[in-house]
Each structure stands twice: as C-alpha cells, then as structure tokens.
Amino acid sequence: MLISVMIAPAVLISAAGLLILGVSNRYGRINDRIRNFNELLPDATSAQAEALREDRALMLERARRSWLALTLLHGAVLSFVAESFLLGVGAALSLPLAPLGDIVLVLGVVLFGAASIALVTEATIAFESTRREIIRTDNQIKARLTSN
C-alpha cells in the first residue's frame, strides 16, 4: 500500500516533466527568434525595422509567458515530490502527514493548472504573431505585383 501511495505522484511528475521538456524547447526557439530579430534590425529599412520591433515585442511576451510556465511547472514537480516524500516518511514513522501531503498535492495541481493557462495564452500570442506575418507577407506580394 505504501509503495502504491508514494508512486501515485510519479504520474504527475512525469506529466509535468514532459511539459517542462516541451516548453524548454519552445522557450529556446523563441529566444533564438528574438536574437535573430536583433541581428536583422541594424540593416533593416525603417518599415522593416518597425515590423521587426513589433514581432520582437510579441516574441518577448511569448518568452515571458513560457518562462512563467516553466517556473510554475518546476514548482508543481517540487510539490509532487514533496507529497511523495511526506507520504513515505509519514507511513515509515507512523506520523499523520497525509493531510499535509494532500495540501502539497493540491498546491502542485494548482501550479500545474496555472502553467497550462500560461501556455494557452502563449499559444494565442504565437497564433497572432503568425497571422500578422502572413498578412504582412501577402501585402508585400500584392505591392510587388501591382508595381510591376
């Protein structure tokens, strides 16, 4: 019984770990795009520079939300590990730590949920950023076609 109770948080730890891996990758790619925009800005025309600054601002907000999600997910993992530890110590030493473990588990679930919300808002910004890039590209193509 003790082993099964202590293993239960492992599923949550695994889920959070997978999200951390994915979000870390996304966070790195967002930062790479920001660096790319910074490299392009000095040689850009004024219209290009304005578009790059707008894109960079959206990327910076995406990076902020991804960082928030990573922080919350790490907090959730810590909570799930603490819950497992409390349950194990409580059972091994016959201490009534299960209620404290439940509180820590709920904290982890709340952190996990908050991270999910941060990721949904980040994905919304990503969609908006891509939409703007498509519109800008379409407008550039139309301008070239009408000038020829």
Side-chain angles (χ1 to χ4, degrees), residues 5-58:
V5 168
M6 288 181 64
I7 296 293
V11 174
L12 295 171
I13 292 168
S14 294
L18 284 171
L19 276 174
I20 287 170
L21 184 62
V23 175
S24 293
N25 185 35
R26 184 186 307 188
Y27 182 68
R29 296 200 62 212
I30 290 167
N31 282 310
D32 289 345
R33 294 268 323 259
I34 292 170
R35 287 184 190 100
N36 183 260
F37 291 149
N38 289 338
E39 290 173 5
L40 294 173
L41 269 168
D43 299 325
T45 66
S46 108
Q48 290 170 334
E50 181 61 30
L52 286 170
R53 279 192 289 277
E54 288 176 12
D55 289 344
R56 187 177 60 177
L58 286 173

Side-chain angles (χ1 to χ4, degrees), residues 108-132:
V109 170
V110 168
L111 291 171
F112 196 94
S116 297
I117 292 169
L119 290 173
V120 167
T121 60
E122 186 274 329
T124 302
I125 295 168
F127 175 80
E128 178 60 23
S129 175
T130 302
R131 190 185 69 76
R132 286 181 182 197

